[in-house]
Amino acid sequence: MISKILFAFIVALLVTVIAGLVLIPALRRANLGQSIREDGPVWHSGKAGTPTMGGFMFVIGTSIACITVGFSSFRTGEFLHLQIFLFALVYGVIGFYDDYRKLKKKQNEGLTARGKFLLQLLISVLYILIVKSTGKLSAILYIPFVNISIPLPNWIYVIFLAFVAIGTVNAVNITDGVDGLATGSALPVAICFGAIAFVLSNPSLGIFAGALAGSLAGFLVFNFHPAKVFMGDIGSHFLGGAICAMAYACDMPLLLITVGIIFVIEALSDIIQVTYFKITKGKRIFKMAPLHHHLEMSGWSEYKLFAVFTSISTVFSIISFLGVYSAFS
C-alpha cells in the first residue's frame, strides 16, 4: 500500500511539472492574466498579468496518477479515489467558470455569491447522498481525539456535511491570496490523509492523497514566490473539494478543524472582519482581511507568510494524524 501511495505521488509530481512547462507559456500567449483586487495591498499590483488558472496543472496530475496507479482497484470494484476526484473536479468546474467570467470582464469579480452558493450546495448534497448510498459514509458524527461518536438523523447529517463542504472550499479559496500560500498549506494536509489512509487500511484514499500531494509539490515549483502562475479559482475550488472529500472518505468531517487549521483561521478572520465592520458601522479589527493580508500590511514578507503558514499546517497535520493513529492503530 505504501508503494502505491508513493508511486501516485511520483507520477502526479512528474505529470504536473511537465504540464506546467507546457501550460504556463500557453496561458501567457492567451493573455489569461490575473486581475488584482483594487482594494488589495498596493504591492500586489506588480502581480497583475501573471498567468492564472494554473490549477489545471494539478487537476491533470492528480487525475492521471489516480487512473494509472488506481487502475487495478477499478477491476475489483473499488472506486473511492475516483469518487473523491470527481467531487473535487465538479467544484473545480465551478471555479473554472468563475475564472472565465473574471477574465472575460477583465476584473476580479466572477460568479455572484448567491449563484456560487447554490451550485456548491447542490453539488455537496448530491455527493454526500452518493457516498452514503455506497456505505462509505455513516450518519454518525465522529469526534477526533476524544474518540466519541454521536449518531445523528440522516437529514441533519447531510445538511451539516453540505455546509462543511461549502465552508472548506471557500476557506481554501480565501487562503489563495499570496504566492504559494494555499499550496503550501494544503500539501501537509494531503500527506496527512495519505498516512491516515495507511492506518485505516484504505488504499483508494491513499492513492488519491498521494496523487494530490505529488501534484501540489509539482505545482509549488511554479507557484512559489515569485509565482510564475496562480492556481485561480479552478485550483482553489478543486483543492477545497479534494480536502473535504478526503475527510468524508475517512468518515471524519470534524478532522477538518485541526488538519485544515490554516483554512479555518483564514475564514474566521474574514468573517470576524465583516461582522465587526457591520456592527460598528465602519470599524475594522484587522488592517485587511483575511489574516494573511493583515500580516502583509504589518510587514510580513511573502516568504515569511509561506514558511509560517506551511509550518503551522504541518504541525497540526501531524497532531491530526497522531489523534487518528492512537484511536485506530
Side-chain angles (χ1 to χ4, degrees):
M1 182 175 169
I2 292 179
S3 61
K4 281 193 173 183
I5 295 174
L6 292 175
F7 189 36
F9 179 93
I10 294 169
V11 170
L13 172 64
L14 294 175
V15 170
T16 303
V17 170
I18 293 170
L21 296 174
V22 175
L23 183 63
I24 293 174
L27 291 172
R28 286 202 189 97
R29 288 194 297 270
N31 293 318
L32 296 178
Q34 176 72 41
S35 298
I36 303 301
R37 286 175 55 179
E38 295 178 358
D39 61 341
V42 175
W43 52 89
H44 278 205
S45 60
K47 299 175 183 285
T50 301
T52 187
M53 298 173 69
F56 268 123
M57 293 159 53
F58 55 79
V59 172
I60 293 170
T62 304
S63 64
I64 291 179
C66 281
I67 292 171
T68 55
V69 181
F71 185 76
S72 59
S73 299
F74 297 150
R75 292 181 293 181
T76 61
E78 180 56 67
F79 297 98
L80 180 61
H81 51 301
L82 183 61
Q83 290 173 348
I84 296 172
F85 173 76
L86 290 177
F87 178 66
L89 181 62
V90 175
Y91 263 110
V93 170
I94 294 177
F96 169 77
Y97 183 64
D98 211 17
D99 282 330
Y100 172 76
R101 285 175 61 91
K102 290 177 184 178
L103 292 168
K104 186 177 180 181
K105 293 181 178 181
K106 296 297 181 182
Q107 61 186 39
N108 199 28
E109 293 293 337
L111 285 169
T112 63
R114 181 188 295 271
K116 184 182 289 188
F117 173 79
L118 291 175
L119 278 173
Q120 291 176 341
L121 181 62
L122 176 63
I123 291 166
S124 299
V125 170
L126 287 175
Y127 173 76
I128 292 162
L129 291 175
I130 290 171
V131 176
K132 276 183 64 63
S133 69
T134 64
K136 299 291 186 182
L137 191 63
S138 67
I140 300 174
L141 184 62
Y142 174 75
I143 303 178
F145 305 105
V146 295
N147 204 26
I148 296 174
S149 297
I150 303 174
L152 295 173
N154 276 319
W155 67 274
I156 291 179
Y157 198 55
V158 169
I159 292 173
F160 169 72
L161 292 182
F163 279 94
V164 168
I166 294 170
T168 302
V169 171
N170 288 309
V172 175
N173 187 44
I174 288 171
T175 306
D176 182 36
V178 170
D179 294 357
L181 197 64
T183 313
S185 299
L187 181 54
V189 177
I191 295 172
C192 175
F193 277 114
I196 289 173
F198 177 76
V199 172
L200 299 180
S201 299
N202 190 333
S204 289
L205 172 60
I207 289 170
F208 181 85
L212 182 64
S215 63
L216 288 175
F219 183 68
L220 195 56
V221 172
F222 307 98
N223 189 229
F224 186 72
H225 184 70
K228 299 178 180 64
V229 67
F230 299 140
M231 67 171 66
D233 281 359
I234 180 177
S236 62
H237 281 59
F238 175 88
L239 189 52
I243 291 171
C244 187
M246 287 190 294
Y248 290 177
C250 300
D251 208 3
M252 299 178 187
L254 292 184
L255 194 65
L256 290 168
I257 296 173
T258 52
V259 77
I261 189 66
I262 288 296
F263 308 120
V264 172
I265 291 172
E266 287 277 86
L268 284 176
S269 69
D270 209 42
I271 293 169
I272 291 169
Q273 181 86 323
V274 172
T275 303
Y276 188 75
F277 184 86
K278 290 181 178 179
I279 292 174
T280 61
K281 298 181 179 179
K283 293 183 179 179
R284 293 175 170 84
I285 293 178
F286 303 105
K287 294 179 180 179
M288 185 178 178
L291 180 62
H292 63 260
H293 283 324
H294 169 80
L295 295 173
E296 271 192 292
M297 297 182 81
S298 299
W300 284 38
S301 68
E302 294 196 47
Y303 293 111
K304 183 175 180 178
L305 278 167
F306 175 85
V308 172
F309 277 45
T310 301
S311 297
I312 292 172
S313 180
T314 300
V315 169
F316 275 83
S317 292
I318 293 171
I319 292 171
S320 300
F321 169 73
L322 292 176
V324 173
Y325 181 80
S326 63
F328 292 92
S329 63

